[in-house]
Amino acid sequence: MDLDLSPEDLAFRDEVRTFLDENLTPELREAGRRLTSVFCDPEHSLPWQRILHARGWAAPSWPREYGGPGWNEVQRAIFAAECARAGTPSLAPMGLKMVAPVIMGYGTPGQKAFYLPRILSGEDYWCQGYSEPGSGSDLASLQLKAVSDGDHYVLSGSKIWTTHAQHANRMFCLVRTDAGGKPQAGITFLLLEMDTPGIEVKPIITLAGEHEVNQVFFDNVRVPKTGRVGEENQGWTVAKYLLEFERGGGSAPGLQVGLARADRIAEAAHGEDRWHRRRVAEAQIAVTAIDVSERRVLSALAGGGNPGPASSMLKINGTEAMQRVDEISVAALGPYAGVDQPAARLAGSNVEPVGPEAGLVAMPRYLNNRAASIYGGSNEIQRDIIARLVLGL
């Protein structure tokens, strides 16, 4: 693959850099620097999304017909790389990158006309109702019951690990509409409003001390059937389609930035220590391979398609490379990587050249990203998907 940029690509890169310089405020840059997860709190992500939306750049991968910029794969890669280097806050992926492609692919004309503009503008903030206390990677075993009652479904049960449910006004949710037969055949995909009576959100505080995930309880919650995407009992097909977008693509620019940060930390803390230099070099090889693979997937998506089983490969490699980068930073910082280390403790230490924020976010990032190889379907499940769909085993 030719990774060189044409004169037109270089002009586009300069346009993006100018836009970021003019619109990325110090507050937004600081929010980007302090990220410990792929999710940024909406108090920072939504203002940035509105700025991008005003320019027509909020959804780089969306087709032009739905409000996307109509960029080619190289332009999307350039934009992602420049945003990562500039330290922009990440946009909430649940709406823009996950449920939006599902609505485009399976939604009715009315659902597309209503939801897509609201997702693009940030008017709606989404969470994902997939996992349950007894259903994680074995998602087909989910039991959140949805009983048909006229023009509504009545939901009873719970969802868990629901990221940013405390902020969301909408959820896309998998429910059990038929308990007989093959488990996958009785699942339905629903869109619902989080302020519906009977919904209760309870926080789960992570090991990093952050409130990012929740458990959501449903007590006879009435959801209109107009919120169903696809046919009743056919939600498993819709769910798998969505997971392809959740799992694969777009991680390489962030990995490059994270690796550069880890490299600076390792060099400042240990100089030319051979062990650290070797780990950085090995991680760089992995990140470069991911970058090339993601560009190929972006090329396949240019016509509005879906990534297919390639998303499983990218999910495995991207999350494991992310964890490797985190390990480099934590190992280099040593005792200064502690979650509760105040910035003042770093004054005069051998990691001061990379800034005190390194010690404040390295361990929370490490702890949060340990889950990356589990959520969205564990990496073991992804290897099984590749074995079946690619290798035919």
Side-chain angles (χ1 to χ4, degrees), residues 90-121:
S90 57
L91 301 187
M94 299 294 191
L96 290 166
K97 296 183 179 180
M98 295 168 64
V99 76
V102 164
I103 293 172
M104 293 176 197
Y106 288 90
T108 65
Q111 288 172 333
K112 294 176 185 178
F114 178 76
Y115 289 112
L116 294 179
R118 297 169 65 94
I119 293 172
L120 199 60
S121 68

Side-chain angles (χ1 to χ4, degrees), residues 39-77:
F39 288 89
C40 179
D41 286 342
E43 64 181 290
H44 302 298
S45 66
L46 287 179
W48 180 233
Q49 182 172 337
R50 295 186 189 105
I51 292 171
L52 290 171
H53 179 51
R55 183 64 178 262
W57 290 359
S61 62
W62 284 28
R64 192 184 298 275
E65 64 183 291
Y66 294 121
W71 290 340
N72 60 37
E73 62 272 16
V74 176
Q75 289 173 311
R76 290 198 291 270

